[in-house]
Amino acid sequence: MAGLVVLCAAYVLSQFFRAFLAVLTPDLNAQLGATSGDLAIASGIWFALFALMQFPVGASLDRFGPRRTASLMLGVFGAGGVALFAIAQSPIMIIVAMGLIGIGCAPVLMASLYIFARTFEPARFAFLTSLFIAIGNLGNIASAAPLSMAVELFSWRVVVGFFAVLTALVAALIFVIVRDPKVDETSGGESGLRGYLTLLAIPALWLIFPAMLVNYSAAAGIRGLWAGPMLTDIHSADASVIGWVTLAMAFAMAIGSLAYGPLDTLFNSRKWVAFTGMAIGTAAMGIIAVNPAMSIGLLTVLFVIIGLTGVGYGVLMAHAKASFPADMMGRGVTLLNFFSIGGAGLMQFLTGRLVTSYNSAGEPLTTYSALMWFYAGVFTLALAIYLFSRDAKPAGNN
């Protein structure tokens, strides 16, 4: 249990680092000349490298266990990347630092899910995952208004430097406290990339992958990147307003993670719980796309809805997990996480290009309407594919 507490602290940091750019945008722009396009690349690099690292992380979890995998990567790459960010002198240094942080954070959630899958009953997996993510969203919350206030008091370099030290400390605690679950050494799942190819050959997963690819992307993209520029360009909002709006969205994501947890058991369905949540979030995106000039209050409400519904990760993970072999649990959960985080990273790049191209016309309403239409369209396509998937009910009555 103590090991899971330390891993949860590491996941709080992971959530913090993936979202803190929105609040730091004004300072990074003023002091380093970092544009919204630069920060979109930096955020996208975080997600892209985080996603690509899922393959070696999965193999490492199955071979070396979560203790060594998570502690060494978080300590070397995570803490090192945060330290580089704190001393950055140019946008390119921010981009490199975010990439290193993404690599360092890559094994944290997967190490925890690996322990859940190996230690607890399968029916509890979605609840435990959702609860873990909900607690982790404290980092998302901390990277909103609390971060804004800390930066005003101490400067962004001092605050980021503090988090570099904290990240190194948490990594050390993981190495000391976490205990690897016992594994049946005779089970012998396929090694290396062949194990991933075996998983990719399972047809049922291909109907879930698109939903996994986009489910988190809008909540992560808006909360961590686009809320700041959108509020600034349309409403001339300052860092304080951005901090409070993103704080509301962060709380919504934490509450949404908790709410998703028991719903699959309550309704005895994973597919329809995930589908309904995504559909509601897609509708909210469409409303913003139609009228991006709405008041900050109404825009915040719709951001909150997107946050609440965009964290069905645990339910989708449990839905897909029912289809892969137990002896490839590490690679299974990391493959799914690759699609989730990789999708968020891909969407950061694509939306960054889209916003940059529209910004040349100098019409923010048109720019952010196009952004939200893009999100809504991609979600609609993913839902259409997911509709054909077979449910994996907690009670087993498939």
Side-chain angles (χ1 to χ4, degrees):
M1 181 59 72
L4 287 174
V5 171
V6 175
L7 282 169
C8 195
Y11 188 58
V12 169
L13 290 172
S14 176
Q15 288 282 356
F16 176 88
F17 293 132
R18 74 182 62 179
F20 75 154
L21 285 179
V23 169
L24 296 181
T25 295
D27 289 305
L28 296 178
N29 177 262
Q31 297 183 29
L32 304 183
T35 66
S36 59
D38 293 327
L39 297 182
I41 293 173
S43 182
I45 286 290
W46 190 99
F47 283 100
L49 292 182
F50 186 111
L52 289 173
M53 288 304 298
Q54 295 308 302
F55 297 108
V57 164
S60 181
L61 287 173
D62 285 331
R63 183 173 181 181
F64 301 112
R67 181 178 70 92
R68 285 177 287 179
T69 301
S71 63
L72 294 178
M73 290 181 67
L74 182 65
V76 175
F77 296 101
V82 183
L84 179 62
F85 194 114
I87 63 172
Q89 300 297 320
S90 66
I92 190 64
M93 291 182 71
I94 294 293
I95 291 170
V96 172
M98 288 297 289
L100 291 174
I101 298 169
I103 293 172
C105 292
V108 174
L109 177 60
M110 294 302 96
S112 308
L113 299 193
Y114 182 91
I115 294 172
F116 292 159
R118 290 287 188 183
T119 308
F120 297 94
E121 293 295 324
R124 300 182 64 191
F125 185 85
F127 171 75
L128 289 170
T129 301
S130 296
L131 177 62
F132 192 88
I133 292 173
I135 297 172
N137 266 296
L138 290 172
N140 201 358
I141 293 167
S143 67
L147 174 62
S148 177
M149 290 185 285
V151 168
E152 288 183 9
L153 287 173
F154 304 108
S155 87
W156 68 272
R157 291 190 187 277
V158 172
V159 173
V160 176
F162 165 79
F163 276 99
V165 175
L166 182 61
T167 302
L169 175 61
V170 170
L173 289 174
I174 290 173
F175 188 81
V176 172
I177 296 175
V178 170
R179 295 291 177 264
D180 295 328
K182 293 182 180 179
V183 178
D184 181 3
E185 299 293 344
T186 65
S187 61
E190 293 183 68
S191 63
L193 289 176
R194 285 185 300 171
Y196 286 110
L197 294 175
T198 298
L199 292 167
L200 289 171
I202 300 172
L205 292 177
W206 284 96
L207 297 174
I208 304 173
F209 285 153
M212 203 78 188
L213 193 71
V214 305
N215 175 259
Y216 178 60
S217 65
I222 294 169
R223 163 63 191 88
L225 183 60
W226 296 121
M230 189 171 182
L231 289 164
T232 299
D233 294 344
I234 296 177
H235 295 286
S236 300
D238 59 18
S240 177
V241 172
I242 294 170
W244 286 110
V245 172
T246 53
L247 179 64
M249 192 172 181
F251 270 115
M253 292 170 73
I255 293 169
S257 295
L258 284 173
Y260 269 113
L263 290 180
D264 64 332
T265 303
L266 180 64
F267 294 104
N268 195 30
S269 173
R270 288 171 177 146
K271 172 183 174 178
W272 294 112
V273 168
F275 184 93
T276 301
M278 288 181 65
I280 294 170
T282 303
M285 297 169 210
I287 294 171
I288 299 173
V290 170
N291 181 25
M294 65 182 64
S295 68
I296 291 180
L298 182 55
L299 186 62
T300 301
V301 170
L302 292 170
F303 280 172
V304 163
I305 291 173
I306 293 170
L308 279 169
T309 58
V311 286
Y313 176 94
V315 177
L316 282 169
M317 179 74 79
H319 186 182
K321 188 177 76 73
S323 297
F324 53 73
D327 58 2
M328 286 190 286
M329 193 62 62
R331 275 157 289 186
V333 294
T334 51
L335 177 64
L336 295 171
N337 205 42
F338 167 78
F339 278 94
S340 177
I341 298 298
L346 177 63
M347 291 287 276
Q348 302 283 48
F349 285 117
L350 293 177
T351 56
R353 293 289 298 274
L354 184 149
V355 168
T356 299
S357 65
Y358 273 88
N359 269 344
S360 61
E363 298 179 1
L365 293 180
T366 302
T367 297
Y368 294 109
S369 176
L371 173 68
M372 300 311 297
W373 277 126
F374 179 75
Y375 276 126
V378 171
F379 268 65
T380 299
L381 178 61
L383 283 170
I385 297 170
Y386 186 55
L387 192 61
F388 292 95
S389 66
R390 183 182 180 185
D391 204 352
K393 300 180 180 180
N397 302 317
N398 294 339

